[in-house]
Amino acid sequence: MSRTPREVFADHGERLGTGDLDLISRNYTEDAVFVTPEGVLTGRAGVREGIGRLLADLPDADWRLTPRFAGNVLFLQWTATTAAHEVTDGVDTFVFRNGLVSAQTVRYTLTPRTTPTV
């Protein structure tokens, strides 16, 4: 099955919406590399762990995504907001191989939201 990076990314977004980490990780190669601020995770098990951490950090987030494709690479700038936290400098880089994601680098800073005082 050969899919374009755009098709994989669209499918990835739909799978993220389900919250099913096994389903989400099927968009990755068996030898995928997932690089997070905490370290490198490998394989589909590593992908499940890395995405699970991100989703746990940002439950019920309001996501804003700006994708930019360059051949088999996607640069994704994003922000997310929850009741308690926000991310203002999220950047992911995806590398695609044979219709799947073979590498992803995730960078973000999680900041507690403060309630302005009157």
Side-chain angles (χ1 to χ4, degrees):
M1 166 178 63
S2 182
R3 301 178 297 171
T4 68
R6 288 178 191 273
E7 290 170 329
V8 178
F9 180 62
D11 184 53
H12 186 58
E14 290 175 18
R15 292 180 187 199
L16 278 173
T18 70
D20 183 335
L21 295 175
D22 286 328
L23 184 63
I24 293 164
S25 69
R26 291 185 194 147
N27 267 329
Y28 291 77
T29 62
E30 291 286 353
D31 61 346
V33 176
F34 195 85
V35 183
T36 72
E38 292 82 29
V40 178
L41 304 166
T42 57
R44 287 186 175 160
V47 169
R48 283 193 296 274
E49 182 181 341
I51 292 175
R53 287 182 199 169
L54 177 61
L55 296 177
D57 280 346
L58 299 167
D60 301 318
D62 178 20
W63 301 85
R64 289 175 202 85
L65 311 174
T66 305
R68 290 188 176 85
F69 291 90
N72 285 334
V73 178
L74 162 63
F75 301 98
L76 179 66
Q77 292 179 292
W78 57 276
T79 61
T81 306
T82 69
H85 296 93
E86 64 183 344
V87 174
T88 55
D89 59 350
V91 178
D92 289 18
T93 304
F94 295 81
V95 179
F96 298 89
R97 183 179 80 221
N98 299 329
L100 294 170
V101 181
S102 63
Q104 180 179 355
T105 301
V106 178
R107 189 190 81 219
Y108 64 96
T109 303
L110 190 63
T111 308
R113 292 183 71 187
T114 57
T115 305
T117 56
V118 178

